[in-house]
Each structure stands twice: as structure tokens, then as C-alpha cells.
Amino acid sequence: MSALPPTELSPLLEVRDLAVRYRLERPGGLLSRGHDELRAVDGVNLVVRRGETLGLVGESGCGKSTTGRAVLQLLKPSTGTVVFDGQPIHDWWVRKGRRWVWDARLRDLRRRMQMIFQDPFASLNPRMTVEAILTEPLRNFGLAAGSDRRRRVQELMATVGMDPRFIRRYPHEFSGGQRQRIGIARALALGPDLIVADEPISALDVSIQAQILNLLARLREELGLTMIFIAHDLAAVRHISDRIAVMYLGRIVEEADAGEIVAAPRHPYTQALISAVPVPDPVQEATRQRTVLSGEVPSPVNPPSGCPFHTRCPLREDRCTRDVPVLREIAPGHRVACHLVE
């Protein structure tokens, strides 16, 4: 955990009203042509302080990964602001024909923001050795050359618990956990301040997941990293995070310190997620009360009116179908978007 309480740390990343929308064309003739809009992220507000880890959790398709990519400007936000270390970076894009491309300033900022991808086999070039994979970012930014470059690669391998002698091997020669360690080493190569870990354990066996979680926790302590940890496993998020933000249908519905949000969740959706986490005590697991949600997650192309969760909420009232709840603070550091929370 961070040496200072999260409230005493200065913000490294501030996200305000972030939205990512995709235009979907409808088939048909000239007179019937139109478009629908898929709201992948719909008005997200986040603050990530230096040295802390923010866990971003929710069901598949809720917009977690899209939020992470928009924060890093790997895709252009539709609206909203992203401020990194005091610099607004959401408008560092240049229009070229029908495409938007990065401004040169954004490329230079890449050294300070990196990503760990979900599938290490898909994110590592199968034709490149480990040495070439870890050398590429150093070469692109001119940070090391010759023997210094190889020394840096060996240091990175040792940092993530890999034998430096393996640098001549290819990704297919490693296990899934080892490949993810290589992906982590690549993210660390440039000495970033912020890392977005996009479901880095979901493609791994359970026994390997614990190793990667412990590795990330150790690296955060040793290197002073700031991290956004994205996952749908609330138990894993609780293990590594200082604070947790819960997403549903592109919105943040609850945010609080990790211990508080697990011990005393206030939003019905968060309560359902926590009740789904298995308890290691068989007696308690057999007798505890579960919250089982009915129905499916609504389509982000045609979201429901009012509270986006009201179609599945067991506590909904009439106003939930009409009014969109505001994410408001109900206790110091604890924010909830629900009409029924007093």
C-alpha cells in the first residue's frame, strides 16, 4: 500500500466527464440511412493519486478496458478531459484527412504512461526474441545503446523474476505466466509513472494469477508506480488496490477505499458483485445470503432511461426509471450513484 493515505497524495491523473462513443451505421437505402451510437464510456470521473493503485471492476462489456485505453490516449475520447501530471492531454490529436493521429507531444509522453495487456501471447510479437521485444522501446526513444541496452534488458528480466539467460528465446517457448512477466517487463522498460493493467491475470491459471498479483504489488512498492488495475474479479482487485471504482454500462456507480467498499458496499450492483465472491469458510459459504441479479446487461446502443441499473435492480422505485442518479459523496472518500442511498 502507499506510504501516505490516498487523500494526502497529489493527483497524477484526473479524468472528467470522459465519454467514448462509436457511430454505428444502419443498413438501408439512401433515404433510410442513419446511425446509432454505442456509448462504451458515458461520463466517467476519476482521480488517481501518485503511488496508489485504483481498481476498476465490473462485468464484461461495462467499459473498463475502453476507459483505460482512453486514459492513455490509445483511442481518442469523444468528449471529456484527461489531465496527466497537470497537463491536459485529451486534445493532443491532429486531424489528417478522415483520421485522427497523435500530436508529437503525446508520443513523447508515452515514456511516462504504459499498458499491460490482457493476453500476453497476442500482445508479444511471435517473430521477435525477448531481447528484441524489450529492446524496442529503448531503441525507439534512444535511451540506451550497445552493452547498456543489453544490461537494461537483463535488469528488466531479473526485476520480473525471469532468468536473464532466456532473452534469446521466443514468446512461444514460455508459459502463460512467463509471457505475462515479459509483458510487464516491457511496460517497465521506459520507467513509466503510470501503468494501466488491463485484466493482466484473466488469461492465466489461478495458481499463476496469485504470482502475477504479488509481482505487481512488489513492483509498485519498489518502483513507486501509480497503477490502474482493471479486472472483473473483485477478490483480485481487493488484494492489490488502495481504492476501487465499480463500473456499470459505461458509468462509475460506486467508488471508495478498497476495504470499505468490500466491507460496506452501498450500491445494489456492488452488493451483488461482492456476494458472488466465494468465501473460503464452507460453513459460512453454505449459509450466507446471496444477491442474484436477474436479466441481462442492457445494450449500450440503447441504454435505459434514468438509472442504467434499474432494469436489474431489486430495490428500484419509480424515480429510478426517470432520473439519472448523480455520483455523490455519502461519506469521506465514498461516492455512490444511487437514489436510494441516504
Side-chain angles (χ1 to χ4, degrees), residues 137-208:
L138 301 175
R139 185 175 61 252
N140 287 344
F141 286 90
L143 296 183
S147 59
D148 291 338
R149 186 177 293 168
R150 166 154 306 185
R151 189 179 306 112
R152 175 60 176 160
V153 169
Q154 293 174 338
E155 290 174 356
L156 289 168
M157 290 288 282
T159 298
V160 297
M162 296 281 289
D163 193 328
R165 294 177 299 175
F166 293 167
I167 62 175
R168 296 300 184 94
R169 295 186 180 183
Y170 290 85
H172 73 270
E173 299 180 78
F174 297 95
S175 67
Q178 289 174 322
R179 284 194 292 266
Q180 192 59 287
R181 289 175 184 267
I182 295 169
I184 294 171
R186 180 178 60 183
L188 297 175
L190 299 175
D193 298 316
L194 173 69
I195 286 183
V196 174
D198 183 15
E199 301 202 36
I201 61 172
S202 62
L204 307 177
D205 293 337
V206 174
S207 60
I208 306 302

Side-chain angles (χ1 to χ4, degrees), residues 18-303:
L18 182 70
V20 178
R21 302 185 181 97
Y22 297 101
R23 184 175 175 135
L24 305 177
E25 294 293 339
R26 291 199 303 263
L30 180 62
L31 296 179
S32 64
R33 285 189 63 83
H35 72 275
D36 293 317
E37 195 173 60
L38 189 153
R39 302 178 185 179
V41 179
D42 193 13
V44 166
N45 293 276
L46 290 172
V47 174
V48 185
R49 299 176 177 88
R50 298 177 191 273
E52 78 167 346
T53 296
L54 173 69
L56 200 56
V57 66
E59 293 173 290
S60 296
C62 70
K64 306 184 301 295
S65 296
T66 304
T67 299
R69 291 172 179 268
V71 163
L72 295 184
Q73 304 300 296
L74 294 179
L75 56 86
K76 187 180 183 302
S78 302
T79 58
T81 62
V82 179
V83 179
F84 178 78
D85 199 15
Q87 300 182 82
I89 63 174
H90 55 277
D91 57 354
W92 287 6
W93 293 78
V94 178
R95 189 70 177 261
K96 288 193 175 181
R98 300 183 64 181
R99 298 187 304 118
W100 289 94
V101 298
W102 296 334
D103 185 279
R105 295 173 297 171
L106 191 55
R107 183 188 182 280
D108 293 338
L109 199 65
R110 287 277 169 246
R111 289 181 54 181
R112 302 184 59 193
M113 303 187 300
Q114 290 292 307
M115 191 167 196
I116 300 170
F117 295 94
Q118 178 177 357
D119 185 354
F121 195 74
S123 62
L124 300 177
N125 191 326
R127 296 190 175 188
M128 296 174 67
T129 64
V130 172
E131 182 176 16
I133 290 170
L134 299 183
T135 297
E136 187 175 34
L138 301 175
R139 185 175 61 252
N140 287 344
F141 286 90
L143 296 183
S147 59
D148 291 338
R149 186 177 293 168
R150 166 154 306 185
R151 189 179 306 112
R152 175 60 176 160
V153 169
Q154 293 174 338
E155 290 174 356
L156 289 168
M157 290 288 282
T159 298
V160 297
M162 296 281 289
D163 193 328
R165 294 177 299 175
F166 293 167
I167 62 175
R168 296 300 184 94
R169 295 186 180 183
Y170 290 85
H172 73 270
E173 299 180 78
F174 297 95
S175 67
Q178 289 174 322
R179 284 194 292 266
Q180 192 59 287
R181 289 175 184 267
I182 295 169
I184 294 171
R186 180 178 60 183
L188 297 175
L190 299 175
D193 298 316
L194 173 69
I195 286 183
V196 174
D198 183 15
E199 301 202 36
I201 61 172
S202 62
L204 307 177
D205 293 337
V206 174
S207 60
I208 306 302
Q209 290 180 3
Q211 296 179 18
I212 297 301
L213 283 175
N214 291 332
L215 170 63
L216 291 173
R218 175 175 64 81
L219 292 175
R220 190 188 71 163
E221 292 295 327
E222 294 178 355
L223 304 178
L225 295 173
T226 303
M227 191 181 307
I228 298 177
F229 185 86
I230 299 171
H232 57 262
D233 185 343
L234 192 57
V237 173
R238 168 67 181 90
H239 177 73
I240 197 173
S241 303
D242 295 299
R243 290 186 299 123
I244 295 176
V246 181
M247 286 193 71
Y248 184 83
L249 206 64
R251 295 172 177 264
I252 302 293
V253 296
E254 186 165 6
E255 180 189 352
D257 289 343
E260 182 176 354
I261 207 169
V262 171
R266 303 297 299 275
H267 196 282
Y269 178 62
T270 311
Q271 294 169 358
L273 288 181
I274 292 175
S275 74
V277 177
V279 175
D281 184 343
V283 176
Q284 184 180 355
E285 175 67 19
T287 57
R288 73 190 181 106
Q289 189 173 7
R290 292 281 304 276
T291 302
V292 180
L293 299 178
S294 60
E296 299 292 334
V297 180
S299 169
V301 177
N302 186 27

